[in-house]
């Protein structure tokens, strides 16, 4: 008995165990056959897990519990001895009857954790000596030990199954998983962890999680590891360092495994962080756009109100004095109204043009333009204005073959605007030069004046809507601050660049723009200029 008990406790393989139990009990009771059935409570069925010798045919048979000879044993939890006549009288299932050879049987329940988990049966030929009470008690004792061994084997198998499930999960996880001690020493790492930081398994051994954290986050994680022991878990966002030194933003989620070890699930959040940053940028841009829009509306209202106010005031004056004021005075009021109306119209036209340019809806009638012709036309149109201020205007001839692909009126508008500004911001007696230069990426055109100049820090912002230089504001000159925005919009629509240069206050300014040159092979295929 002791020998057989020792034998069955030596294995944890369930099938092997079933065979050992059967062989041991058969030799214990000197029987030529035996079977071991599992009782499955959930399906109310019995399956013959192992059968040897006289009963070998029964192996694998599965029947509803009530159709088996074990039913009474399971139901009453009691052992049973049956002669061949009794067996035949009880069997209702033809499947069972077919597989039974004449025998007498003894069956005992196998009970584990107060549940019947199976039945152990032994058989002898009908003519052999009948089973005795002594046989029965021996078998009962043995069955209870066999039940414990079976239960252990089942638990072990379950444990193996869940361990392999866990291992598969860990090995195939999309996140890096480290097992660490409470001080952060690495115990093991899954394949994703090796991939994430570029180390081999051997290199990880003896490393500390803290060694892998960027310097700036190391102190914080050290504190957190201390808390980890108290609280059992930790959730932290830090930068880990790849073997090549590159920081990788990760989220570390640590839970206790219960044996002084902790499982740290490390998720790469590079993409999430980038998306968050993009979102933040978009939000900032939207906020900035909304702020600029409000600012723009406030400025427009102000700009529109000033000339409108003048128109209404002069109209009021006129109406009040229409009966007694002299004609000259009334005429002056009309001139004032006309001037302000013109300013208002120009402002509204500029605003409409600018909104079209910004929305990309401005229609350009493009053709091959000889730029020298446009430059001459622009200078001609401002000559009177310059003469009125005794400003000398000098133009260096632009080579005839310089051609660009663009809209004549729009290019003219840019040049007139720059020339108009140059005249406006240059005191009487000053000088303006217009010249061109061949550049690598196209033709450069420049309008240089000897006027009031611009502060270096304002050279860029004067191209923004409604922005006027501080020198301008000090002097209280007129203007809306839209001209340069329109120029920039037009030049950029030509895929060109525009900028301003100035050595400072009273040192003059130069406004330059570059337009891409039209290549010779393209010229012949385009319509001639108007
Ligand atoms: P506006 O001339 O109607 O005010 P612009 O957009 O054409 O609007 O010019 C914006 C500002 O840039 C001007 O108000 C002025 O302060 C500055 N600016 C433009 N051209 C010159 C120049 N040639 N010299 C000095 N300042 C200039």
């Amino acid at each position: 008995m002791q020998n057989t008990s020792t034998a069955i406790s030596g294995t944890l393989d369930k099938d092997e165990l079933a065979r050992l139990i059967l062989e041991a009990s058969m030799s214990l009771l000197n029987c030529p056959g035996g079977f071991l059935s599992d009782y499955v409570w959930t399906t109310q069925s019995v399956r013959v897990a192992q059968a040897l010798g006289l009963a070998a045919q029964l192996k694998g048979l599965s029947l509803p519990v009530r159709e088996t000879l074990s039913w009474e044993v399971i139901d009453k939890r009691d052992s049973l001895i049956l002669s061949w006549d009794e067996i035949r009288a009880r069997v209702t299932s033809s499947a069972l009857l077919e597989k039974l050879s004449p025998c007498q049987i003894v069956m005992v329940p196998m009970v584990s954790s107060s549940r019947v988990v199976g039945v152990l049966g032994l058989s002898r030929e009908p003519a052999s000596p009948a089973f005795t009470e002594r046989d029965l008690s021996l078998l009962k004792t043995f069955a209870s030990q066999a039940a414990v061994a079976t239960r252990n084997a089942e638990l072990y198998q379950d444990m193996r199954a869940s361990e392999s499930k866990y291992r598969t999960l860990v090995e195939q996880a999309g996140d890096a998983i480290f097992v660490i001690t409470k001080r952060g020493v690495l115990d093991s790492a899954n394949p994703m962890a090796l991939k994430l930081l570029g180390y081999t398994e051997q290199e990880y051994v003896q490393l500390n999680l803290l060694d892998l954290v960027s310097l700036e986050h190391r102190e914080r994680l050290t504190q957190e590891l201390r808390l980890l022991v108290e609280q059992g878990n930790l959730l932290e966002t830090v930068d880990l360092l790849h073997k090549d030194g590159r920081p990788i933003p990760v989220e570390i989620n640590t839970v206790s495994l219960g044996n002084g070890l902790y499982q740290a699930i490390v998720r790469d959040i590079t993409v999430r962080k980038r998306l968050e940053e993009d979102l933040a940028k978009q939000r900032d841009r939207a906020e900035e756009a909304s702020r600029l829009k409000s600012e723009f509306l406030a400025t427009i209202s102000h700009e529109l109100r000033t000339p409108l106010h003048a128109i209404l005031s002069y109209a009021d004056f006129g109406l009040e004095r229409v009966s007694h004021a002299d004609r000259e005075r009334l005429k002056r009021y009309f001139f004032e109204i006309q001037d302000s109306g013109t300013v208002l119209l120009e402002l509204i036209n500029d605003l409409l043009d600018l909104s079209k340019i910004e929305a990309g809806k401005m229609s350009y009638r493009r053709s091959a333009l000889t730029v020298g012709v446009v430059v001459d036309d622009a200078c001609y149109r401002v000559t009177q204005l310059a003469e009125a201020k005794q400003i000398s205007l000098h133009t260096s001839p632009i080579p005839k073959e310089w051609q660009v692909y663009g809209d004549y009126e729009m290019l003219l508008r840019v040049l007139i605007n720059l020339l108009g500004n140059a005249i406006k911001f240059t005191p009487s007696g000053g000088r303006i030069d217009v010249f061109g230069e061949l550049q690598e990426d196209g033709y450069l055109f420049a309008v240089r004046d000897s006027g009031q100049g611009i502060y270096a820090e304002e050279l860029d912002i004067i191209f923004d809507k409604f922005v006027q230089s501080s020198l301008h504001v000090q002097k209280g000159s007129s203007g809306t601050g839209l001209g340069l925005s329109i120029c920039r919009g037009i030049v950029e629509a030509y895929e060109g660049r525009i900028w301003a240069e100035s050595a400072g206050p009273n040192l003059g300014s130069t406004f330059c723009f570059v337009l891409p040159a039209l290549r010779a092979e393209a010229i012949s295929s385009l319509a001639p200029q108007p």
Side-chain angles (χ1 to χ4, degrees), residues 176-472:
I177 299 176
F178 295 96
V179 174
I180 54 170
T181 68
K182 64 179 177 187
R183 296 195 199 291
V185 178
L186 296 187
D187 179 83
S188 51
N190 73 345
M192 195 60 192
L194 306 180
K195 200 169 145 200
L196 179 73
L197 301 182
Y199 288 95
T200 64
E201 209 162 352
Q202 289 74 21
E203 286 170 325
Y204 267 136
V205 179
Q206 291 315 313
L207 267 180
N208 192 304
L209 186 61
L210 292 171
D211 300 332
L212 302 170
V213 178
S214 71
L215 270 179
E216 51 181 328
H217 294 155
R218 205 164 286 174
E219 183 51 38
R220 182 152 53 89
L221 202 70
T222 311
Q223 302 283 350
E224 288 292 332
L225 278 180
R226 267 179 226 137
L227 286 177
L228 171 65
V229 182
E230 287 166 28
Q231 297 171 356
N233 63 27
L234 167 160
L235 181 66
E236 198 53 52
T237 307
V238 292
D239 282 351
L240 288 188
L241 292 175
H242 188 273
K243 198 177 166 191
D244 64 15
R246 172 164 48 91
I248 301 172
V250 297
E251 188 179 80
I252 302 184
N253 193 341
T254 311
V255 287
S256 168
L257 291 176
N259 48 358
L261 291 175
Y262 296 83
Q263 174 182 270
I265 300 179
V266 176
R267 175 164 297 177
D268 182 348
I269 54 167
T270 312
V271 175
R272 196 179 86 195
K273 264 199 124 173
R274 200 180 314 128
L275 286 176
E276 280 170 4
E277 279 165 16
D278 285 355
L279 267 179
K281 268 191 214 149
Q282 276 174 20
R283 195 193 50 226
D284 288 352
R285 271 205 294 270
E287 279 172 8
E288 175 65 3
S290 146
R291 192 187 61 75
L292 286 175
K293 202 166 146 193
S294 317
E295 213 175 88
F296 179 64
L297 284 175
T299 317
I300 291 184
S301 320
H302 175 76
E303 296 295 335
L304 291 175
R305 209 176 291 143
T306 314
L308 253 178
H309 226 262
I311 293 173
L312 290 174
S313 303
Y314 284 109
D316 278 349
F317 288 159
L319 283 172
E320 273 168 27
R321 292 164 204 174
V322 70
S323 52
H324 54 274
D326 61 65
R327 284 177 152 277
E328 273 316 302
R329 180 174 279 234
L330 286 177
K331 202 168 155 190
R332 225 191 68 225
Y333 292 161
F334 279 123
F335 275 132
E336 294 289 354
I337 289 174
Q338 192 181 39
D339 279 356
S340 298
T342 311
V343 168
L344 201 57
L345 185 66
E346 274 172 12
L347 178 65
I348 289 171
N349 281 340
D350 280 356
L351 273 174
L352 286 176
D353 285 348
L354 193 61
S355 71
K356 270 198 227 159
I357 290 171
E358 285 184 342
K361 297 229 165 90
M362 184 63 129
S363 57
Y364 298 100
R365 281 186 300 157
R366 296 179 197 252
S367 58
L369 303 179
T370 307
V371 246
V373 175
V374 195
V375 173
D376 288 345
D377 190 0
C379 291
Y380 172 73
R381 295 195 196 206
V382 297
T383 313
Q384 271 191 343
L385 216 58
E387 278 171 0
K389 271 183 93 176
Q390 287 106 43
I391 291 173
S392 56
L393 184 60
H394 304 266
T395 320
S396 317
I398 308 267
K400 268 213 212 76
E401 53 294 352
W402 285 18
Q403 296 215 326
V404 295
Y405 183 56
D407 182 317
Y408 188 94
E409 290 302 327
M410 290 295 166
L411 189 51
L412 191 67
R413 185 164 178 181
V414 174
L415 285 161
I416 291 180
N417 211 312
L418 298 183
L419 284 165
N421 278 349
I423 296 168
K424 185 156 83 175
F425 299 112
T426 301
S428 300
R431 173 187 172 113
I432 295 174
D433 286 281
V434 183
F435 56 94
E437 261 176 34
L438 187 61
Q439 300 256 311
E440 241 178 56
D441 54 345
Y443 305 124
L444 176 141
F445 302 94
V447 177
R448 186 198 294 139
D449 64 52
S450 60
Q452 70 178 39
I454 302 161
Y455 286 115
E457 60 275 21
E458 293 178 348
L459 288 171
D460 277 341
I461 55 163
I462 51 168
F463 287 90
D464 291 343
K465 289 182 282 241
F466 297 116
V467 175
Q468 297 183 319
S469 87
S470 23
L471 286 169
H472 179 159

